[in-house]
Amino acid sequence: MSADLEKVQQHARDLRTQEPRGAHEQLAGMPMGKRTLDKCRASLLGHEGDFRFGCPMDEQFFHEAGVGKDAFRDFVATGASDDEVAAWLKDRK
């Protein structure tokens, strides 16, 4: 898979000026998913602000999802939408 940061930008929040989505917002049926996804996209673009992708809460999400941080980041870097990331996660369960 190759990175497509222009596509990532289309889905990303700039965490220097916005909050990531809340911990209760699920992705593929798992809490923390959308928040982790927002932080991942922001980190790829250098727009993390005070937030950090890969924090202990993100690690809990990765454990529940059965994926590693690097694999998640690599897939998100393709410019995948929320729905595409959710489908990718469900394929790994």
Side-chain angles (χ1 to χ4, degrees):
M1 289 182 273
S2 62
D4 187 340
L5 296 183
E6 287 182 22
K7 281 182 73 178
V8 171
Q9 179 69 45
Q10 294 172 5
H11 302 292
R13 290 180 181 221
D14 186 337
L15 301 186
R16 298 172 298 184
T17 59
Q18 292 179 284
E19 295 278 323
R21 287 176 277 187
H24 64 281
E25 293 191 51
Q26 297 185 0
L27 184 68
M30 293 173 281
M32 286 298 303
K34 290 187 178 182
R35 185 176 186 88
T36 301
L37 180 54
D38 286 347
K39 293 191 302 181
C40 181
R41 287 176 175 147
S43 73
L44 288 165
L45 299 170
H47 299 164
E48 280 183 291
D50 292 333
F51 298 92
R52 294 293 168 251
F53 174 63
C55 74
M57 291 174 72
D58 295 344
E59 291 296 335
Q60 182 179 347
F61 169 76
F62 299 136
H63 178 74
E64 183 178 336
V67 299
K69 174 185 170 184
D70 293 340
F72 184 83
R73 183 188 61 237
D74 290 348
F75 187 75
V76 172
T78 67
S81 68
D82 287 13
D83 290 340
E84 290 168 328
V85 175
W88 179 80
L89 289 167
K90 287 178 182 178
D91 286 347
R92 271 132 195 83
K93 281 206 160 216

